[in-house]
Amino acid sequence: MTANVIPVLTKAWNVLGIRILVSVSLLLQIVLLSRGNRRRYITSRLTQFFIWFNYLSADSVANFALGILFSDNKNPSLHPNFIFMANWAPFLLLNLGGPDTITSYSLEDNELWLRHLLVSIYHLVAIVFVVFKSWNGSHLNYVAIPVLVAGIIKYGERTWSLRLASRKKFRESSLPDLGSDYVEFLNNYSIRQAEGNIIFVGEVIETTPTVLDHSQRAIANSCIPEASFLHDGFHFFKIFKCLFVDLILSFEDHKNNQVFF
């Protein structure tokens, strides 16, 4: 009985395999689109695992489907609907770009942006080859072109986002304007410490609090009173994000924060 079932399953997979994989890939993208950003404020382990599993499975399923298309491309005559199936390749590239609600699951994924770039080049070459191999001048072939362009843009955006979110680039973008006074203070501190002097650091710099642009607050209060809180939050987000990459606050920011809070 097993000998009779296996050929039937094999034949069914050859016909429906790529359709099943594309459907699963689309389903995973829908799940990530609707649930991807929930990991930011939901601490449930089940939810975290569900999003993590879908995040990893989305790329794996798309890669598997793309591998089948590339393998079938070697002998298109075995698949009468290969021209139709080949149009799924640009769609898979669009799926590999991922939804806007989640780019990477953890900070460690951002450090692999260079590997992601290399893999994206391989994917692009394989997909272009599949589309080229199936090209016969029909109207169905031209449908794949805009999808392919959208997929390249989407995949490029994801790789670029991973690069900008890497620790090195995020640190460079978060460097605060410490000013010349701070640089001079560090130089004097190092020189006097090297001379063997006992140094006590105290707060001797007086600054004028300039927490927010008053014009922005006036506009916010006149339109939406609660918007002023958003301006405050975004202002301090830009200041405190440097702490996540082991940077320090300037004297002016330190004084302004004390006065505000």
Side-chain angles (χ1 to χ4, degrees), residues 13-251:
W13 175 256
N14 291 335
V15 176
L16 301 175
I18 188 62
R19 295 173 175 82
I20 294 174
L21 291 175
V22 171
S23 300
V24 172
S25 178
L26 178 60
L27 177 62
L28 293 174
Q29 293 297 317
I30 294 175
V31 172
L32 291 177
L33 182 63
S34 60
R35 304 293 178 181
N37 58 351
R38 289 178 176 264
R39 75 194 190 283
R40 302 174 184 174
Y41 52 84
I42 293 181
T43 58
S44 171
R45 290 185 179 273
L46 181 60
T47 302
Q48 294 286 344
F49 174 79
F50 180 72
I51 298 174
W52 170 80
F53 178 79
N54 282 271
Y55 171 77
L56 295 182
S57 300
D59 287 351
S60 300
V61 172
N63 289 329
F64 188 30
L66 184 59
I68 292 178
L69 283 176
F70 188 79
S71 177
D72 292 343
N73 179 73
K74 296 179 181 179
N75 195 357
S77 60
L78 297 179
H79 300 275
N81 297 324
F82 178 76
I83 296 177
F84 175 78
M85 294 169 56
N87 284 276
W88 290 118
F91 180 77
L92 292 172
L93 181 64
L94 193 62
N95 286 353
L96 287 171
D100 294 335
T101 54
I102 179 172
T103 304
S104 62
Y105 185 82
S106 61
L107 294 176
E108 289 76 10
D109 295 335
N110 300 325
E111 306 301 323
L112 303 177
W113 70 269
L114 195 58
R115 180 189 299 179
H116 192 272
L117 175 62
L118 184 61
V119 172
S120 66
I121 294 175
Y122 288 143
H123 286 157
L124 181 59
V125 171
I127 290 172
V128 171
F129 185 71
V130 170
V131 174
F132 175 78
K133 190 72 173 181
S134 64
W135 193 272
N136 63 353
S138 64
H139 296 291
L140 192 60
N141 292 133
Y142 291 99
V143 175
I145 295 179
V147 181
L148 178 61
V149 173
I152 294 174
I153 296 175
K154 189 67 176 177
Y155 211 165
E157 285 180 346
R158 183 179 183 183
T159 306
W160 185 253
S161 299
L162 291 174
R163 177 179 180 273
L164 294 181
S166 63
R167 183 175 180 83
K168 179 180 178 181
K169 288 298 178 181
F170 184 70
R171 183 184 178 91
E172 292 176 357
S173 66
S174 304
L175 286 174
D177 185 12
L178 300 177
S180 59
D181 293 336
Y182 183 75
V183 177
E184 183 180 357
F185 166 76
L186 287 182
N187 292 334
N188 292 333
Y189 183 89
S190 300
I191 293 174
R192 295 184 182 277
Q193 190 177 40
E195 293 175 351
N197 298 322
I198 300 177
I199 305 173
F200 296 95
V201 180
E203 186 176 348
V204 295
I205 297 179
E206 296 293 336
T207 60
T208 302
T210 56
V211 177
L212 279 178
D213 186 359
H214 295 287
S215 62
Q216 292 181 351
R217 294 183 63 89
I219 295 174
N221 291 329
S222 63
C223 299
I224 304 176
E226 293 80 5
S228 60
F229 299 110
L230 297 178
H231 283 284
D232 293 343
F234 184 69
H235 174 77
F236 287 110
F237 164 74
K238 292 190 295 184
I239 294 176
F240 291 122
K241 70 178 183 178
C242 67
L243 300 177
F244 290 93
V245 286
D246 300 330
L247 297 175
I248 62 176
L249 300 177
S250 65
F251 287 120

